[in-house]
């Protein structure tokens, strides 16, 4: 029996939340898939209310059927030094994930 093709959640869906509990539409840059896992990239803006100001951060979430969980965070001024969450550190997918992240960030700047 063939399974229907699953789609990433609509970021405007009110039940779609990021791994940090914020609405999935906030900072949504796009998504990509590898196998059953759907990865979603968000931009969290810089915090201008503190001194010194914090840099913008990119958050990559993964949903493999049990809800979103954080894969990594990358400060916008440290793109080559992601902070991997848990078992993702040194995972064989990391280089591929970084390539996808950079492509989504570049595409968001082109629009």
């Amino acid at each position: 029996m063939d399974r229907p093709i699953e789609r990433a959640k609509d970021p405007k869906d009110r039940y779609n939340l990021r791994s940090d509990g914020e609405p999935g539409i906030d900072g949504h840059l796009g998504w990509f898939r590898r196998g059953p896992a759907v990865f979603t990239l968000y931009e969290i803006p810089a915090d201008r209310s503190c001194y010194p100001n914090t840099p913008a951060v990119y958050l990559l979430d993964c949903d493999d059927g049990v809800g979103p969980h954080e894969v990594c965070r990358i400060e916008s001024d440290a793109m080559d030094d992601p902070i991997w969450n848990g078992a993702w550190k040194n995972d064989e997918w990391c280089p591929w994930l970084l390539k996808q992240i950079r492509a989504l960030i570049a595409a968001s700047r082109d629009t």
Side-chain angles (χ1 to χ4, degrees):
M1 181 168 84
D2 291 328
R3 289 180 40 188
I5 296 174
E6 296 178 24
R7 306 246 186 258
K9 288 184 178 180
D10 181 350
K12 295 177 184 169
D13 180 351
R14 69 185 183 120
Y15 298 107
N16 180 24
L17 299 175
R18 302 186 320 209
S19 61
D20 62 2
E22 295 297 322
I25 194 169
D26 291 351
H28 183 264
L29 294 181
W31 63 276
F32 52 93
R33 169 185 297 280
R34 185 164 183 174
V38 176
F39 296 90
T40 308
L41 184 65
Y42 302 96
E43 182 176 18
I44 301 171
D47 185 353
R48 303 284 182 214
S49 67
C50 61
Y51 182 82
N53 296 334
T54 63
V57 173
Y58 296 100
L59 166 65
L60 182 66
D61 279 351
C62 176
D63 189 343
D64 54 5
V66 295
H69 51 276
E70 183 176 322
V71 173
C72 71
R73 288 179 184 248
I74 306 172
E75 291 184 359
S76 60
D77 57 355
M79 289 301 297
D80 292 328
D81 193 21
I83 302 165
W84 298 100
N85 190 27
W88 286 102
K89 187 173 186 176
N90 298 322
D91 187 89
E92 64 185 40
W93 285 11
C94 291
W96 180 82
L97 291 169
L98 285 174
K99 183 178 178 183
Q100 304 305 311
I101 290 168
R102 288 184 181 111
L104 281 177
I105 293 170
S108 73
R109 292 181 180 156
D110 290 342
T111 57

